[in-house]
Amino acid sequence: MSSTIVLVADQQEVNAPLSRRLEDQDHSVFVVKDIPEALLYLRDPACTASVVVFQQAMRRQQDAMTLAEICSFRPYLQIILLAEKGKSPLGEIPVPHANIRILQRPVNPQDLFQVVQDAVGAVDALLDKKQSAIDLDLTSENNDSGLPMFTTPFLMRVGMADVPVLLHGETGVGKEVMARKLCAYSPRAQKPFLKLNCAALPSELVESELFGYEKGAFTGAAIDKPGKFEIAQGGTILLDEIGDMDIRLQAKLLQVLQDGEVQPLGSRKTLKLNVRVLAATHRDLRRAIELGTFREDLYYRLNVVSIVIPPLRERRDEIIPLAEKLLRRHLRAGIPEPLLTESFKNLMLQYDWPGNVRELENLMRRLLVYQNESMITGDLELAIAQSKSRSRPALSQSGEASEAVQSVATPQPTASQISSMDHLAEVSRQAEAKLLLDALEATHWNRRQAAARLNLDYKAFLYKLQKLGIVEKREKAEVPQTA
């Protein structure tokens, strides 16, 4: 199989014969003069290189960091480094990638040619293995992903559509698994797949992670750093927990999706994007729109295809088959597979699995460690009892359910009702917003006094206001109405 090979050449006596021999084998050879030019080419989404030969040592830490970044989204790229005897080609910088081969100078041209050929063969083997895995998955309707309710033809149809997809579902149901499957069945399968959890970082860090920044853009920006949109060129990016993204950052994201280009922080240049965006959330975004914490225009931009992944408690017929497959997934060589008794299966079917597939997987891994069902039966029985006691209304002395409990009692959510998803989390969010608003009103909107009143760190208090959109709401309310 022919491949594209990049030669970073400073020794013409080695480069010329190597280029000729590789071209005789139907390989495409692309020669660049120095390391910065090579790294720029390798970062280009249109680059098809499978092997790169560096005949120059990397002296700058930034070059080695860029190489590590390239390796992260080109997992099949084979790298050959030529080094002086007894010296590392990266200086004191650790080798950033497993697919790196180091040769000591002086190098015999025949030896270098053979190493390049071996590297090409390694790429072909990895790609064949990847394709075989996809082909095998395509023939399996009930795979061990935790998503057997979605048929392969459905996943292929949505994957090939190359449009934004919004994934709804409780924590642990497998939204990221679904996103990766859609990517595997898409034309972008061999391109980067990157994920950013919008709830795990403050909005300022989310912004720099998404859009990147130039050196000097802010304190601590010592080098240029590409954002995930730039790194994912040609591939797919998953915005996990999109419902927790700061509303001001949502406006910038909307502009990026509409214009198809991104501007790094501190930069005057814009970069054209070719990235498929998938988004996932456990929140009710329609309710968030009503509360003013999520932009309606962004919702419709992301919601071209909407997929609701039901919680595990609504597909109880899948619990046992899925548990058995998860057991086999984590089974190590030499360890017998535990058999699930009927009594244990009945317990599993009684439990509501608030942690969904993730919780079920953790239980199966625990069973593999203990190799004894009885050691976790008690925990499961206790969890079932606690679950039932939580769902039963508290009784007053007269034997009637108290009004306080009745006021918050709600039916269990269904797969078809997105607005009912994770009601408890939404109630908690509303209660937190009311608490903050009450403190602000009591202190005449003095934020420092309100933070002290709630015994909160001031910066943490400001972050909560931003996250819940409370500051924006008050600013809108203060705009004078025109006649």
Side-chain angles (χ1 to χ4, degrees):
M1 187 181 295
S2 62
S3 297
T4 300
I5 298 165
V6 179
L7 300 181
V8 189
D10 63 352
Q11 289 192 346
Q12 198 61 25
E13 66 276 11
V14 175
N15 174 51
L18 178 61
S19 296
R20 286 195 297 270
R21 294 196 64 181
L22 291 172
E23 288 169 351
D24 288 343
Q25 298 295 321
D26 293 328
H27 298 305
S28 299
V29 179
F30 185 73
V31 182
V32 295
K33 65 180 185 298
D34 55 27
I35 289 172
E37 184 181 346
L39 297 177
L40 185 64
Y41 172 69
L42 292 170
R43 280 172 63 172
D44 187 344
C47 171
T48 58
S50 58
V51 179
V52 57
V53 181
F54 287 97
Q55 298 183 37
Q56 303 171 352
M58 292 189 183
R59 303 303 180 195
R60 298 193 310 166
Q61 184 176 10
Q62 182 178 345
D63 290 339
M65 291 176 65
T66 303
L67 180 61
E69 171 194 299
I70 291 168
C71 292
S72 69
F73 65 85
R74 293 190 183 276
Y76 305 124
L77 182 66
Q78 304 291 307
I79 299 168
I80 300 170
L81 300 172
L82 273 59
E84 298 296 336
K85 190 173 182 180
K87 294 183 179 179
S88 167
L90 298 173
E92 301 299 322
I93 303 165
V95 175
H97 193 255
N99 295 342
I100 287 184
R101 306 163 192 235
I102 299 177
L103 298 179
Q104 300 292 334
R105 284 179 167 170
V107 179
N108 183 294
Q110 174 60 33
D111 293 341
L112 180 56
F113 172 75
Q114 191 57 53
V115 170
V116 173
Q117 284 284 75
D118 292 344
V120 171
V123 173
D124 292 343
L126 287 169
L127 291 175
D128 287 344
K129 184 177 179 181
K130 169 75 172 178
Q131 188 59 50
S132 297
I134 291 176
D135 292 342
L136 179 63
D137 195 33
L138 287 171
T139 63
S140 173
E141 291 292 336
N142 290 322
N143 49 62
D144 62 354
S145 66
L147 302 168
M149 82 296 296
F150 296 101
T151 63
T152 296
F154 170 79
L155 295 173
M156 290 182 64
R157 188 164 58 251
V158 177
M160 294 298 292
D162 204 33
V163 297
V165 178
L166 186 56
L167 304 169
H168 307 264
E170 294 180 5
T171 300
V173 293
K175 297 187 291 296
E176 183 179 347
V177 174
M178 169 65 83
R180 291 185 180 276
K181 280 198 165 292
L182 294 178
C183 179
Y185 298 138
S186 77
R188 302 173 183 266
Q190 304 301 329
K191 297 296 183 179
F193 178 95
L194 299 182
K195 169 192 169 185
L196 179 68
N197 190 319
C198 302
L201 299 170
S203 59
E204 295 80 6
L205 289 182
V206 172
E207 184 174 11
S208 63
E209 282 291 314
L210 274 180
F211 309 127
Y213 54 81
E214 282 197 349
K215 180 179 178 180
F218 51 83
T219 304
I223 60 171
D224 294 348
K225 184 179 185 301
K228 289 192 181 294
F229 272 119
E230 183 178 351
I231 297 172
Q233 280 282 36
T236 307
I237 187 168
L238 171 62
L239 300 177
D240 198 13
E241 302 302 349
I242 188 73
D244 292 293
M245 178 178 282
D246 181 80
I247 195 161
R248 283 176 290 189
L249 185 53
Q250 291 174 29
K252 188 167 183 179
L253 174 62
L254 176 65
Q255 195 68 40
V256 169
L257 296 179
Q258 287 177 339
D259 298 343
E261 57 185 28
V262 65
Q263 184 175 19
L265 300 178
S267 174
R268 294 181 179 179
K269 65 179 181 179
T270 58
L271 303 170
K272 285 292 182 182
L273 294 179
N274 175 23
V275 178
R276 184 184 191 182
V277 176
L278 309 179
T281 182
H282 72 282
R283 298 198 181 279
D284 175 6
L285 293 188
R286 292 184 181 276
R287 178 62 177 156
I289 291 170
E290 293 175 5
L291 293 173
T293 59
F294 199 83
R295 293 181 63 104
E296 186 173 16
D297 44 8
L298 178 59
Y299 173 78
Y300 289 114
R301 173 66 63 172
L302 295 170
N303 194 34
V304 177
V305 175
S306 178
I307 298 178
V308 180
I309 305 176
L312 196 55
R313 62 180 173 273
E314 292 184 9
R315 38 192 175 106
R316 294 188 184 272
D317 57 326
E318 297 173 7
I319 291 176
I320 303 305
L322 184 55
E324 292 171 343
K325 289 179 180 180
L326 290 170
L327 267 179
R328 290 192 290 272
R329 173 192 286 181
H330 293 288
L331 192 63
R332 290 184 295 173
I335 297 179
E337 180 180 346
L339 295 177
L340 302 178
T341 64
E342 289 304 315
S343 60
F344 190 72
K345 289 179 181 179
N346 288 333
L347 282 177
M348 292 171 66
L349 292 173
Q350 293 177 46
Y351 187 45
D352 278 344
W353 300 103
N356 292 294
V357 178
R358 185 179 296 133
E359 184 179 9
L360 177 62
E361 184 173 18
N362 287 343
L363 186 73
M364 294 302 99
R365 295 178 71 181
R366 197 180 313 149
L367 180 59
L368 285 173
V369 172
Y370 294 154
Q371 287 290 311
N372 188 338
E373 233 177 47
S374 63
M375 295 183 68
I376 57 179
T377 298
D379 292 339
L380 197 53
E381 290 174 339
L382 179 61
I384 293 170
Q386 290 175 340
S387 176
K388 290 181 178 178
S389 67
R390 283 196 297 269
S391 62
R392 187 182 301 118
L395 299 180
S396 63
Q397 289 183 348
S398 62
E400 297 178 349
S402 68
E403 292 182 3
V405 172
Q406 288 178 352
S407 66
V408 297
T410 58
Q412 288 294 320
T414 64
S416 62
Q417 294 175 315
I418 302 174
S419 60
S420 299
M421 277 187 181
D422 204 1
H423 183 69
L424 181 60
E426 189 56 52
V427 169
S428 175
R429 185 184 179 93
Q430 293 178 26
E432 184 180 21
K434 186 177 185 306
L435 188 65
L436 297 176
L437 284 168
D438 288 346
L440 287 167
E441 294 293 346
T443 58
H444 304 287
W445 283 78
N446 185 311
R447 293 178 295 182
R448 287 193 179 277
Q449 291 182 14
R453 187 184 185 95
L454 295 173
N455 198 26
L456 281 174
D457 176 76
Y458 182 56
K459 289 185 178 180
F461 181 76
L462 293 180
Y463 174 66
K464 287 178 179 293
L465 292 181
Q466 268 192 353
K467 183 177 178 181
L468 295 169
I470 291 174
V471 176
E472 288 78 6
K473 284 185 187 178
R474 182 172 185 254
E475 288 173 350
K476 290 177 184 175
E478 291 178 347
V479 175
Q481 298 295 316
T482 57

